Amino acid sequence: MSLMRMTAQRSAYRLIKNISGRYARPLVAAFLALLIATANVAPAFAQNPPPQQDPTKQNPSDQNPPSPGTYGNIPPASQAGPEVEAGTAPPPAPPIPVSLGLSKHSFTHGPQAFPTLIAPYKSIQIDEPVLVNSPRVDQLIHDGKLQITLQDAVELALENSLDIAVARYNPWIADTDILRTKSGGLGRGTPGADFPTSQANIDPFNQFPSYDPILSATTSLDSRTTPVNNPFLSGTGLGANVQGLHSHASIFDIAYQQSFTPGTTVNLAWNNTRSSSTSAANFFNPTVQGSLSVGFSQQLLNGFGAFVGRRNILIAKNNRKIADLVFVNQAITTVTSAINAYWELVYARENVKVQQQAVAVSEKLYNDNKKQLEIGTMAPLDVTRAASEVASDRQNLIVAQTTQLQDEQVLKNAMTKNPLAPNLINVEIIPTDLPTPPAATESASFEDAIQEAFVKRPDLQEQVYNLKNSGVEVRATKNALLPTLTLSGQYNSSGLAGNSPITGTPVIVATPAPIVDSKGNPVTITGAGGVQTPIFQSTTTSPIVGTSQQGFGTAQNQIFTNQFPDYFASLNLFLPLRNRSAQADNARAMLTQRQLETQLQQLKNAALLDVRNTYIALEQDRARVDAAIKARELQRQTFEAEQKKYTLGASTVYNVILTQRDYVTAEGVELRALADLNEAKANFERAVGRTLEVNRVTIASTGTKSGLSEFEPETLIPGTLHGQVVGTDKIFSNPTPPTEK
């Protein structure tokens, strides 16, 4: 095509050189006008929009550039069909909501013990992260080109953004804090949360109560032989050698303990021991001992009340909502960045075409000037000026092409997890949506936009929940100021049984050894004839005629019939003098609460400024687009008038080409204004927190019912309720939100 243009231009100038007479100038002017009107170096002169193309076969942007006032296949409002103007065209089907699947998992509840008893003691399975591009990327690639609409760009960014993938774990990690605090443990915090857990010194003697029941059991066997030094005390009897005491014991104990949020702790223990030994001193041998004890303790001051016991659970639940809001904020940032990157690439591609047109125009002017210099109708300085213009336009084209490559890589990074994937690294991204003036999205007034932002912006909602947590901490540290007064009680019932001998009628027997004095000499008495007779002491023994067997059953009967009860109650007071540690904690909690209230107002002021700036930018860019459209239309009219003047001999080729170049430049300005307007719209929606709502994105999973995709109402975008915006009076009417009870 370029060769044909050069041949036509050489033919035209040979005609100028050879033809003379009064018809030469009008004929040349007519021929040049026809050449300019039909050449693709000035595509803006076509008055009819290009035909519809199948985007899967060939991208419309690869065809001849669009005619003035149209971009791609989208006609301007003045050229819309009669059905559109009359409002009779059927409304488009609503887009399918995009779910980010945050409710796919929930870790607030652990595995249930029934019917699988060992489930709580087994590790759960977590899916491996998906670090490859979604299959839809491959589906949209055709002939080495990735053709995408704006909605495709948004959805691909949400599917493949690593920022989204990383942020999605935070709410699930926050779930584990809820599960942990339900057991009585401490939370570990989440990004955006100022209070990972309560720092109040509640119940200093039981700071980490277990709200999960704890069941403990002990079984042991003990068999031993112990050398004894005093056989009289041990009951092993006399012997010539060191005596050994043989004993055997078996123990079976079971206990239950659990704490409750009002500050109550309950314990139950059932203990049993069976022992036997070679000692003759035991009444029962073997012996069975058992006991059943039930006890409780209740905090009456420090640590009293369900709120104090649930303080960490409340903080963990608020932190889970904060994690949701941080995730929503990341989703808004990702969507806004994808939209801006898309429109920047659209402008960069169109700007390359504009710069190509500018180069073509300047080259044509340069070639025309050279021809005129050859025939002696132009000064060399004009040729030099035209050559300088060509060099400048070529430099602008190189810059535009470089910017296109950079913007393409930015969008590719935003839409993929791995932009270096073999099937993607050399793919050209072709946006099929071209900038058009969007429908008005501004609120009715700036005040309405501010109120909407106060309700929907995630950063403000995060601060509200941090403020709620500060209220929880203030109440907890206030309770921690109180002394510790503990009421305790315990009941114990014991049993004792075993095998004991049954004795018969006592029998008197004499001891084999005489009674001795302090010196060890036998004590004697003088009998008849003066005979000294030693004194022997008689003893009475009872013969064993049988064994009384009492065991485990007897001991348990004694326990449960309350034969040997034990009752215990106590009231313990722990009174820290001066109490400076608790005072410092309470003062810090209140200072933090006041600081967060101030920061909330600071964030509201920053949000106001953000909304004001984006609101003004949106209005200004809309005015810029209107002005650019009018300027482009005026430049078109100027160019057409200059053409007519040239055909009548009242202008020059130089002026015609200059007006054409101005027309091409005006098209570029209009494109830039349209891209800026679409980006300003995205930034305004971000500023008021409307981005996910406008782009039909939900952080929940979606289900199907009757073939329709539905939202999960409990996990919709925070700040909305049943699809409606929550009123600001319900959130910001009280600077210190009431704490949960």
Side-chain angles (χ1 to χ4, degrees):
M1 191 65 182
S2 176
L3 180 61
M4 292 175 61
R5 290 199 303 270
M6 294 176 62
T7 304
Q9 292 169 356
R10 286 196 294 269
S11 299
Y13 282 104
R14 280 198 297 269
L15 184 62
I16 293 174
K17 187 174 181 181
N18 297 331
I19 297 178
S20 60
R22 58 193 183 101
Y23 298 102
R25 184 180 179 110
L27 287 175
V28 173
F31 181 79
L32 287 176
L34 179 63
L35 181 64
I36 292 173
T38 57
N40 65 353
V41 296
F45 305 152
Q47 296 301 316
N48 295 323
Q52 296 282 347
Q53 299 288 337
D54 185 356
T56 62
K57 297 180 180 179
Q58 193 170 15
N59 182 33
S61 61
D62 292 339
Q63 306 298 317
N64 290 339
S67 40
T70 64
Y71 298 94
N73 296 324
I74 305 175
S78 61
Q79 299 180 14
E83 289 185 350
V84 178
E85 293 180 352
T88 59
I96 298 176
V98 180
S99 172
L100 298 182
L102 193 59
S103 60
K104 178 181 178 182
H105 301 291
S106 176
F107 300 95
T108 57
H109 302 284
Q112 298 297 321
F114 298 99
T116 306
L117 297 179
I118 64 173
Y121 312 104
K122 297 176 63 178
S123 175
I124 64 174
Q125 298 297 321
I126 304 295
D127 296 336
E128 294 287 338
V130 179
L131 301 179
V132 297
N133 299 326
S134 62
R136 210 150 68 112
V137 174
D138 288 336
Q139 297 170 4
L140 294 174
I141 296 177
H142 301 283
D143 300 328
K145 296 180 180 179
L146 179 61
Q147 298 178 340
I148 56 171
T149 63
L150 177 61
Q151 185 65 22
D152 291 333
V154 170
E155 293 178 7
L156 287 174
L158 293 176
E159 290 175 9
N160 296 296
S161 170
L162 290 177
D163 291 334
I164 291 289
V166 171
R168 186 181 283 113
Y169 285 99
N170 288 330
W172 295 338
I173 292 174
D175 281 349
T176 64
D177 274 2
I178 297 178
L179 182 61
R180 197 167 194 264
T181 54
K182 284 181 178 179
S183 72
L186 302 179
R188 286 159 290 191
T190 186
D194 293 342
F195 294 87
T197 188
S198 174
Q199 301 297 323
N201 189 20
I202 300 295
D203 187 7
F205 301 105
N206 187 25
Q207 291 190 1
F208 306 106
S210 175
Y211 299 150
D212 289 346
I214 299 176
L215 188 66
S216 60
T218 301
T219 299
S220 66
L221 297 174
D222 183 9
S223 180
R224 66 182 66 186
T225 301
T226 306
V228 295
N229 192 35
N230 191 333
F232 295 100
L233 296 180
S234 64
T236 59
L238 300 175
N241 300 318
V242 175
Q243 300 297 307
L245 177 64
H246 303 284
S247 63
H248 179 84
S250 58
I251 298 174
F252 175 74
D253 297 340
I254 186 169
Y256 161 85
Q257 181 175 342
Q258 185 176 2
S259 297
F260 300 91
T261 54
T264 307
T265 299
V266 175
N267 58 77
L268 173 67
W270 182 41
N271 300 324
N272 296 278
T273 303
R274 182 185 184 278
S275 61
S276 63
S277 71
T278 57
S279 172
N282 293 333
F283 182 72
F284 291 116
N285 192 14
T287 303
V288 176
Q289 291 179 297
S291 66
L292 177 67
S293 62
V294 179
F296 79 96
S297 65
Q298 173 65 54
Q299 301 301 323
L300 301 180
L301 294 176
N302 184 318
F304 174 77
F307 171 82
V308 176
R310 297 185 66 249
R311 66 193 186 281
N312 286 317
I313 300 176
L314 297 177
I315 291 176
K317 288 183 176 180
N318 287 336
N319 287 346
R320 174 58 165 84
K321 296 172 183 177
I322 290 174
D324 279 346
L325 291 166
V326 171
F327 180 73
V328 168
N329 200 19
Q330 182 59 61
I332 289 175
T333 301
T334 299
V335 171
T336 304
S337 299
I339 292 174
N340 290 339
Y342 184 89
W343 290 124
E344 283 298 316
L345 179 58
V346 168
Y347 168 73
R349 290 177 61 85
E350 294 302 315
N351 188 46
V352 167
K353 297 176 183 178
V354 170
Q355 298 303 325
Q356 288 173 343
Q357 294 174 18
V359 170
V361 170
S362 60
E363 287 179 346
K364 180 170 176 28
L365 176 60
Y366 172 69
N367 293 330
D368 290 344
N369 289 351
K370 284 178 62 178
K371 296 297 183 182
Q372 294 185 37
L373 178 63
E374 292 175 2
I375 63 177
T377 60
M378 180 170 287
L381 181 60
D382 292 334
V383 178
T384 303
R385 184 183 299 113
S388 175
E389 187 68 22
V390 170
S392 177
D393 289 341
R394 285 177 177 171
Q395 180 182 4
N396 293 338
L397 175 60
I398 293 173
V399 172
Q401 291 171 335
T402 302
T403 302
Q404 176 185 340
L405 293 176
Q406 292 172 339
D407 291 341
E408 185 176 274
Q409 189 61 48
V410 170
L411 183 57
K412 189 179 295 185
N413 283 9
M415 297 189 305
T416 59
K417 288 187 177 77
N418 182 16
L420 297 178
N423 64 333
L424 187 65
I425 186 170
N426 294 320
V427 167
E428 178 185 4
I429 299 179
I430 301 177
T432 57
D433 287 342
L434 297 178
T436 56
T441 59
E442 301 90 331
S443 302
S445 65
F446 172 68
E447 290 75 14
D448 292 339
I450 289 297
Q451 295 301 321
E452 183 179 2
F454 283 173
V455 173
K456 293 184 177 181
R457 283 180 65 109
D459 54 345
L460 294 179
Q461 297 293 328
E462 290 175 36
Q463 197 69 2
V464 169
Y465 284 108
N466 277 322
L467 196 53
K468 287 184 178 182
N469 282 343
S470 71
V472 172
E473 185 70 352
V474 167
R475 287 186 61 180
T477 54
K478 183 178 180 180
N479 179 270
L481 286 168
L482 300 175
T484 302
L485 182 62
T486 306
L487 174 64
S488 301
Q490 185 167 337
Y491 160 77
N492 184 76
S493 179
S494 301
L496 177 63
N499 293 348
S500 60
I502 300 175
T503 58
T505 303
V507 177
I508 299 175
V509 296
T511 60
I515 299 174
V516 297
D517 57 15
S518 60
K519 295 181 178 180
N521 299 318
V523 177
T524 60
I525 58 175
T526 303
V531 178
Q532 301 291 323
T533 303
I535 300 176
F536 293 87
Q537 181 179 8
S538 63
T539 59
T540 303
T541 62
S542 299
I544 298 176
V545 298
T547 301
S548 175
Q549 296 183 344
Q550 297 177 346
F552 181 80
T554 303
Q556 299 307 309
N557 181 66
Q558 294 172 355
I559 291 174
F560 289 102
T561 56
N562 201 28
Q563 292 187 22
F564 305 101
D566 179 9
Y567 302 97
F568 170 80
S570 68
L571 192 64
N572 299 322
L573 176 65
F574 177 74
L575 183 65
L577 300 180
R578 302 186 68 178
N579 208 22
R580 288 181 291 185
S581 177
Q583 290 175 353
D585 291 343
N586 183 245
R588 183 185 181 90
M590 289 191 293
L591 289 170
T592 302
Q593 184 182 48
R594 297 297 178 257
Q595 184 183 48
L596 289 174
E597 291 172 355
T598 306
Q599 289 178 351
L600 178 59
Q601 184 61 42
Q602 185 182 28
L603 286 174
K604 291 171 69 175
N605 292 344
L608 185 149
L609 182 61
D610 191 14
V611 174
R612 166 66 77 181
N613 291 339
T614 55
Y615 189 87
I616 292 174
L618 184 56
E619 291 184 334
Q620 286 180 341
D621 287 339
R622 200 175 293 281
R624 279 180 57 203
V625 168
D626 293 339
I629 292 175
K630 292 178 181 178
R632 187 257 307 155
E633 179 62 23
L634 291 174
Q635 284 298 139
R636 184 185 64 81
Q637 295 175 7
T638 301
F639 170 68
E640 291 176 350
E642 197 67 30
Q643 278 184 304
K644 293 178 181 179
K645 288 172 59 179
Y646 186 79
T647 58
L648 298 175
S651 183
T652 64
V653 175
Y654 178 76
N655 289 336
V656 172
I657 294 177
L658 285 182
T659 54
Q660 182 193 16
R661 184 172 60 191
D662 293 340
Y663 183 27
V664 171
T665 302
E667 280 191 310
V669 172
E670 182 183 3
L671 281 170
R672 180 71 266 177
L674 283 170
D676 288 345
L677 176 59
N678 282 276
E679 293 179 23
K681 172 179 175 291
N683 288 327
F684 175 74
E685 291 166 352
R686 173 200 55 77
V688 297
R690 196 192 297 169
T691 300
L692 301 187
E693 179 183 345
V694 169
N695 291 277
R696 298 287 294 171
V697 178
T698 173
I699 65 174
S701 298
T702 55
T704 55
K705 183 178 181 181
S706 303
L708 299 177
S709 180
E710 296 185 343
F711 290 118
E712 293 180 3
E714 72 279 6
T715 52
L716 276 174
I717 304 165
T720 62
L721 181 63
H722 305 303
Q724 302 296 324
V725 176
V726 180
T728 55
D729 55 335
K730 296 182 181 180
I731 294 182
F732 294 106
S733 58
N734 188 355
T736 305
T739 55
E740 297 185 43
K741 296 184 179 179

